[in-house]
């Protein structure tokens, strides 16, 4: 897995994409979320400053609000 690099494939994703990332995530680095957002043609990053890896559990209301707004748009 460490040798896999799918970054070149991201440009082919044509659907709006929501990237949700906790600022304090030690499992998936925050910098990676910014790269992901930048490589997706229609990528949006929502940063959860009070969360780590499980934003959907750590900030339930905000997570649901962000997801709802993204789907509605």
């Amino acid at each position: 897995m460490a040798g896999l690099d799918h970054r070149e494939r991201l440009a082919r994703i044509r659907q709006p994409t929501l990237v949700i990332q906790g600022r304090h995530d030690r499992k998936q680095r925050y910098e990676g979320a910014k790269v992901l957002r930048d490589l997706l043609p229609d990528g949006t990053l929502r940063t959860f400053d009070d969360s780590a890896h499980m934003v959907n559990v750590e900030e339930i209301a905000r997570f649901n609000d962000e997801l709802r707004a993204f789907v509605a748009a």
Side-chain angles (χ1 to χ4, degrees), residues 5-68:
D5 185 351
H6 296 292
R7 286 177 284 186
E8 76 284 348
R9 293 180 171 192
L10 296 175
R12 293 186 273 176
I13 297 174
R14 298 291 174 213
Q15 296 298 319
T17 306
L18 179 62
V19 179
I20 295 177
Q21 180 72 30
R23 174 89 57 193
H24 307 288
D25 192 338
R26 290 185 177 175
K27 186 173 182 180
Q28 303 295 328
R29 294 180 332 212
Y30 180 73
E31 291 74 23
K34 293 189 291 187
V35 169
L36 188 58
R37 178 218 39 219
D38 292 343
L39 293 176
L40 289 162
D42 195 5
T44 300
L45 173 61
R46 293 291 179 253
T47 302
F48 284 61
D49 289 318
D50 297 326
S51 292
H53 187 68
M54 296 184 64
V55 295
N56 60 319
V57 174
E58 295 169 283
E59 295 184 64
I60 297 169
R62 178 169 174 219
F63 177 85
N64 288 334
D65 290 344
E66 295 285 357
L67 187 57
R68 189 178 299 108

